[in-house]
Amino acid sequence: MLSFYLVLVSLLLLEPFSVARHSFSSNREQSDQSRASEDLVANLPGQPVVNFKHYAGYVTVNENNGRRLFYWLYESPSLPDEKPLVLWLNGGPGCSSIGYGATQEIGPFLVDSDESSLTVNPYSWNKEANLLFLESPIGVGFSYSNTSTDYANLGDDFAANDAYAFLHEWFLKYPSYRTRAFYIAGESYAGKYVPELAEIIVDRNKDPSLFIDLRGILLGNPETSDVQDWQGMVDYAWSHAVISDETHRTIIASCDFNSNDTWSNQDCSQAVNELLKQYKEIDIYSLYTSVCIDSLTGSDDNSTPVFKTTSKMMPRIMAGYDPCLDDYAKSYYNRLDVQKALHVSSGHHLRDWRICNMSVFNGWSDSKESVLPIYQKLIAAGIRIWVYSGDTDGRVPVLSTRYSISTLSLPITREWRPWYHQKQVGGWVQEYEGLTFATFRGAGHAVPTFKPSESLAFFSSFLSGASLPFKR
């Protein structure tokens, strides 16, 4: 079966994974609290005054190889000791959760267009939960390894295992969160990261010493199942007048997305090339907003993905009402004073930060064709699954998600209907046994960037397990 992202040249052996069974003694917890205080962020350049604490720094997930993952924790401004912990992951693979999720979508600080100051996000999700952003895997953002061979092993299993190791080490650093209600959220290729990590947690929770109180997962415009993702992408491009009737008919007639040899069919390859060519003219992640002209004409940023006809697709480039948000983030996080405040750099060494690392993307060695079997496993384990889709995204369009969910044949518990926010239709929603699917009307790939108020209300409903409002 075709991989949506990867042509595997060879299978790489991932290193064995284990988590030490830590004894959470009071002495250990006291010393770990002091470790956490060292990561307190103070004097972040351009930061407005806020009434919550935030922490940033590194957690070592492999001592021998020097593998370290960068995190940023924002406490909730109200009742942080009582609210749940939510881990947010962005995808790519190779794109930064700091640059996207924290800076452009759901975090409390948004980088201004002057690239030097921060604005408070009035719709930050830390109003409802403590937010933990992780740059994963190594090679993404500020995360790294001192062992070069680690980068040759990057793939889904590698990322999930390192993220799991990160959590247990992070809980040692922040022991007050160890028994907190825990959720995992993410978008795009994190549609694979999130359920894969959740599966490891469910499996290893059988050992009480490793227990993590995972309650649910939240997935936005998620990569889910390669076959359905491709089919949805093609049908969406045609139904939204991006490609011609002729191109659509050629793809339908010649492309077998269930095949391991899809691209050997020349008619299929040429037709998909035509689809990608048309999407190069606009923002595939947001059909109806402008592109960043400065980036198109003057940037030599080698992290900018390039379209090509293989089974690979590119990570998100730009989205949002301001299409140059990525540029602002890149400039801000490559400042030495910012990196010092985030405990990334000391002295005069500047670490190169990219919003997407194409070396990670191009070297990805392992991608599951479908995470739908994991959905079934998590539902059986009682894990809440909510999936949402901005309906103006062409990259992982709403059709792809609907096609994927339909293959599960889950019993419907509440029929398709509009949901409302501030007396307006926010989108449409359908509830199944164990899964809720909702659309966001007029939102692109990074839904909270387009619909911040609606997204915060949606997030609140997810945490409470309550149905979305169905009356004005």
Side-chain angles (χ1 to χ4, degrees), residues 74-370:
Y74 300 94
E75 291 187 341
S76 179
S78 63
L79 304 175
D81 294 335
E82 300 177 15
K83 290 184 176 176
L85 175 67
V86 176
L87 173 67
W88 175 273
L89 299 170
N90 276 90
C95 293
S96 168
S97 300
I98 303 303
Y100 284 124
T103 301
Q104 301 184 29
E105 301 181 62
I106 65 170
F109 304 131
L110 307 176
V111 179
D112 283 347
S113 58
D114 63 9
E115 302 174 355
S116 61
S117 56
L118 302 174
T119 300
V120 170
N121 177 8
Y123 304 105
S124 172
W125 286 11
N126 79 325
K127 292 180 180 293
E128 300 292 336
N130 301 286
L131 296 182
L132 176 60
F133 294 90
L134 176 64
E135 294 201 305
S136 174
I138 53 167
V140 173
F142 294 126
S143 297
Y144 68 93
S145 174
N146 291 325
T147 303
S148 60
T149 54
D150 280 345
Y151 294 97
N153 290 330
L154 292 179
D156 284 12
D157 287 343
F158 188 101
N161 286 329
D162 265 11
Y164 184 73
F166 163 85
L167 285 174
H168 279 282
E169 290 299 324
W170 189 87
F171 285 135
L172 287 175
K173 202 168 195 176
Y174 297 88
S176 64
Y177 285 97
R178 183 167 53 87
T179 57
R180 201 78 60 90
F182 180 63
Y183 299 86
I184 316 173
E187 69 186 15
S188 195
Y189 197 81
K192 295 192 175 182
Y193 289 162
V194 171
E196 288 164 356
L197 175 57
E199 181 182 34
I200 292 177
I201 292 173
V202 168
D203 287 345
R204 303 196 178 183
N205 272 353
K206 296 170 185 176
D207 183 339
S209 68
L210 298 176
F211 184 78
I212 296 173
D213 190 12
L214 177 65
R215 305 284 183 89
I217 63 173
L218 179 63
L219 305 162
N221 287 78
E223 275 61 309
T224 306
S225 177
D226 294 350
V227 173
Q228 284 72 35
D229 286 348
W230 269 114
Q231 291 172 339
M233 184 181 185
V234 169
D235 290 346
Y236 185 90
W238 172 73
S239 66
H240 286 71
V242 175
I243 58 174
S244 68
D245 294 348
E246 291 75 20
T247 298
H248 186 247
R249 281 198 295 266
T250 300
I251 294 176
I252 296 303
S254 62
C255 293
D256 180 4
F257 295 123
N258 284 287
S259 170
N260 289 322
D261 199 25
T262 301
W263 308 114
S264 64
N265 184 308
Q266 187 174 3
D267 289 341
C268 171
S269 182
Q270 290 178 348
V272 171
N273 251 342
E274 175 63 21
L275 181 151
L276 299 179
K277 175 184 175 183
Q278 296 306 322
Y279 266 131
K280 283 185 69 174
E281 299 297 319
I282 59 175
D283 184 352
I284 189 174
Y285 302 94
S286 174
L287 267 64
Y288 305 117
T289 55
S290 301
V291 297
C292 183
I293 300 301
D294 289 343
S295 290
L296 291 176
T297 59
S299 174
D300 61 355
D301 181 2
N302 61 9
S303 72
T304 301
V306 176
F307 288 90
K308 56 187 176 182
T309 302
T310 66
S311 64
K312 293 188 177 185
M313 295 300 296
M314 66 304 303
R316 172 174 164 253
I317 304 171
M318 290 167 271
Y321 298 114
D322 183 341
C324 298
L325 292 173
D326 291 8
D327 295 345
Y328 310 155
K330 179 186 174 184
S331 295
Y332 184 76
Y333 290 118
N334 277 306
R335 290 172 47 180
L336 184 59
D337 56 350
V338 171
Q339 293 190 7
K340 284 183 176 179
L342 296 177
H343 311 112
V344 170
S345 178
S346 59
H348 302 288
H349 175 69
L350 186 68
R351 183 174 289 277
D352 181 34
W353 184 91
R354 305 175 187 178
I355 198 158
C356 290
N357 185 338
M358 290 308 295
S359 295
V360 172
F361 176 75
N362 290 322
W364 204 250
S365 65
D366 156 46
S367 177
K368 287 184 174 57
E369 295 170 350
S370 175

